[in-house]
Structure formats: structure tokens, C-alpha cells
DNA sequence: TCTGGGGTCCTAGGACCC
DNA sequence: TCTGGGGTCCTAGGACCC
């Protein structure tokens, strides 16, 4: 086995949140299902978290306002987001994947990388799909590559429910002429900056001057963009439990907050909620950050270091209020957030 | 029809110290 | 009076991802 080639498989669940909801409500199968917020499409300021493929056919997609989604697809079933249910379903899937005995790196609720050694990754991918379906009732796509980047993009081509391989032999033919933001790790902003350097496609980025990219994007990010374009680097999967670096709680209020006392009250609630999350475990808080977003979407974050660290919820709450005092708020407040940075 | 919530990593300037 | 480097911490913000 040790002399068989190493592969990365990326397992990506299909329409995960909607699929979990359909699994426990079989009568919804085949219907447009939209998960988001409290499941009430008349409520403002809530967005689609996941749309089933039937709903996507009407142009509904994640991030869209629920009020927009109900206009595009009035017959859809709208459901509240239920993170406990998704946590549980995710754990079922990851346990099924670990059952294969290969290293597993969990990537969010609905994605994972596997690191097998095999001469036949397609057969293994097929077994994975069957096992996940049998044990959890959920379907997934599997991407195959030598790196995370290739496996991740391969899974994209495999969706929904398929298997696709993106390796050294077909990376350039498949990806070379695509825009740079087709890559995992390059979004719209970097793609636009690259365009200003006359770099439009993956193939052009591969041949770009590393010095030019370093000058534009920094000493780490610049060269990394070229690596991404080449298909990424081979590196060990991280299979251990993730140590969180921060925990946050944010809320967009259905009606803007006007009164100072109201803003402070809401901030206290957020601070206490996120403190409660963190203090259940053994973490020490070393920084408290507060974000304010006004009705016009102007958004700023300020923070305060706690050099010795604390686990005292009162101190955290008061630190949040002190940070709030450093803002000059003259507009109605749409969103507040509290983030706690943790000692690593 | 205005645009959620929860994360990670990187960059850059200024303070401060040696 | 004018000047060097190196290092770390703090803070704000940008960008990406699920």
C-alpha cells in the first residue's frame, strides 16, 4: 500500500442544509426548499443560507435576500436555519468518512478532504459516495487531485453527486483559459486587481512575474497566487481537532437601533452570549473587538487587547463597552458584533 | 429587494525597545 | 545634530472561505 500514489479526495455534500431538512421531511423531496433566517420570507434583513437544486432553478441562491427569493419562487418551502441539526448531520458524515481509515481534514459543515494512497481513486470515490448515502441518506460529490486545490475544484465539476479528477495531466487544459477567480482562494477583488496587471486567465497567472505579484499583493500572497494557479501544493492534511483562534457573535437587527442605551444593551447581550460560548471551554480571551454597521452599511471594527488575558464575563462585557465608546456613532445602527480573540 | 453569520490569514503603520 | 538597523506588540482593515 505504501508504494501506491497519494491522492487528495474532496468530499462535498450536495445542497447540504436543504438535504438535511428534506431527510427529516421526506414529503419535501423534489420540491424547492429554501433554508435561511427564521424561515419567514416576509422578514427583512435575512438571507438564503441554502437553496435546493429545485429552488436554484428559479434563480434562488445562497446570500440572496429572502424577500427576493420568495418573489423568484413563491411556491418554495421556507425553513428556519437549524444549526444543531446541521452539526449533528455533519458529524454523521465525518464519522462515515473516518471509517475508511485514511486521514480526514474537516472543512466546515459539509466538506472534507481525505488523503488515501491508492492506484484507483475513482473506485474509492464511488465507495465513499455509496457509504455516505447508506449511512446518512445524504449525497455528495467527490473531487480527485494531487492537491487540495485540484481536488476542491474537481469536486466543483463533479457536482451534484458525481466524481471528477483534476490532476497534472488535465489541469492546464481544463483550467488554463478560465478566469482567475475560478480558482479556490482568488475572489472577485484579487481577480480585478490581476486584470489591472493584464492577467486574466489561469494560464496567464501561471506565467506572471512573481516580483510584480509580490509588489502588488505582498511577500506571502503574491507568490502564493502563482502556486494556486499551478494547482496548489501538496501538503499534509490537518486531521486533529481545530483550536479556534476567535469566537464571535453578530446580529443584524430587524429595525435600526437609535438610542444609545439600546445600543449598549444589545452589545451587552452579544458580549454575554459569546463569553458564554467561550467560557464553556478552557480558553483565555486576549482581545475584545466590536463591529458597528450603520444603516448606510458603513462598517468599522475597533478592538482592545487584554494582555494578561481574562475569563471574567464582566470584564469582557465592560471591555466591549469601552471599545464602543471609541466610536462616534451618528447614524442608526443596523448591526453589532463582538469578537473574542483567544490565546492560542 | 438592499446586502446573514461565523471564521481564518495577511498587510501595514506606528509605538516602543535595544 | 543626525543617523543605522532589528524586533515585537498593537491596531485597523482587506480578502477569502463555508
Amino acid at each position: 500500500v505504501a508504494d501506491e500514489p497519494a491522492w487528495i479526495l474532496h468530499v462535498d455534500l450536495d445542497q447540504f442544509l436543504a438535504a438535511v431538512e428534506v431527510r427529516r421531511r421526506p414529503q419535501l423531496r423534489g420540491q424547492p426548499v429554501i433554508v435561511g433566517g427564521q424561515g419567514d420570507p416576509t422578514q427583512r434583513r435575512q438571507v438564503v443560507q441554502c437553496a435546493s437544486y429545485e429552488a436554484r432553478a428559479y434563480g434562488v441562491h445562497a446570500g440572496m435576500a429572502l424577500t427576493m427569493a420568495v418573489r423568484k419562487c413563491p411556491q418554495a418551502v421556507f425553513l428556519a436555519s437549524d444549526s444543531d441539526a446541521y452539526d449533528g448531520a455533519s458529524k454523521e458524515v465525518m464519522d462515515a468518512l473516518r471509517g475508511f481509515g485514511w486521514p480526514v481534514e474537516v472543512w466546515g459543515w459539509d466538506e472534507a478532504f481525505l488523503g488515501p494512497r491508492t492506484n484507483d481513486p475513482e473506485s474509492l470515490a464511488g465507495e465513499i459516495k455509496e457509504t455516505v448515502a447508506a449511512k446518512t441518506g445524504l449525497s455528495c460529490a467527490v473531487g480527485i487531485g494531487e492537491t487540495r486545490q485540484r481536488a476542491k475544484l474537481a469536486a466543483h465539476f463533479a457536482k451534484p453527486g458525481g466524481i471528477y479528477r483534476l490532476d497534472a495531466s488535465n489541469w492546464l487544459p481544463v483550467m488554463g483559459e478560465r478566469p482567475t477567480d475560478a480558482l479556490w482562494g482568488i475572489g472577485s477583488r484579487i481577480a480585478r486587481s490581476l486584470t489591472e496587471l493584464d492577467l486574466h486567465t489561469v494560464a496567464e497567472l501561471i506565467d506572471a512575474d512573481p516580483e510584480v505579484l509580490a509588489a502588488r499583493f505582498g511577500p506571502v500572497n503574491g507568490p502564493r497566487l502563482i502556486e494556486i494557479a499551478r494547482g496548489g501544493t501538496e501538503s499534509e492534511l490537518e486531521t486533529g481537532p481545530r483550536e479556534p483562534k476567535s469566537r464571535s457573535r453578530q446580529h443584524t437587527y430587524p429595525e435600526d437601533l437609535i438610542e444609545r442605551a439600546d445600543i449598549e444593551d444589545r452589545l451587552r447581550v452579544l458580549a454575554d452570549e459569546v463569553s458564554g460560548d467561550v467560557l464553556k471551554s478552557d480558553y483565555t480571551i486576549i482581545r475584545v473587538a466590536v463591529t458597528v454597521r450603520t444603516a448606510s452599511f458603513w462598517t468599522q471594527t475597533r478592538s482592545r487587547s487584554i494582555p494578561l488575558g481574562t475569563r471574567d464575563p464582566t470584564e469582557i462585557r465592560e471591555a466591549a463597552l469601552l471599545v464602543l465608546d471609541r466610536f462616534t456613532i451618528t447614524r442608526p445602527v443596523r448591526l453589532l458584533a463582538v469578537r473574542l480573540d483567544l490565546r492560542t
Side-chain angles (χ1 to χ4, degrees), chain A residues 6-9 103-105 107 113-117 145-151 184 224 227 231-239 242:
Chain A
W7 290 100
I8 301 290
L9 269 52
V104 174
E105 179 175 316
W107 203 264
F113 293 99
L114 265 74
R117 286 186 171 273
E146 308 94 329
T147 65
R148 285 183 182 77
Q149 176 76 224
R150 286 181 179 161
W184 185 41
R224 196 169 58 193
E227 281 307 310
T233 49
E234 296 181 32
S235 57
E236 293 289 303
L237 296 184
E238 297 190 15
T239 56
R242 287 275 169 123

Side-chain angles (χ1 to χ4, degrees), chain A residues 278-285 309-316:
Chain A
V278 167
L279 296 176
K280 273 185 279 188
S281 304
D282 206 17
Y283 301 112
T284 298
I285 291 90
T310 185
R311 286 179 52 79
D312 176 4
T314 305
E315 189 178 349
I316 293 164

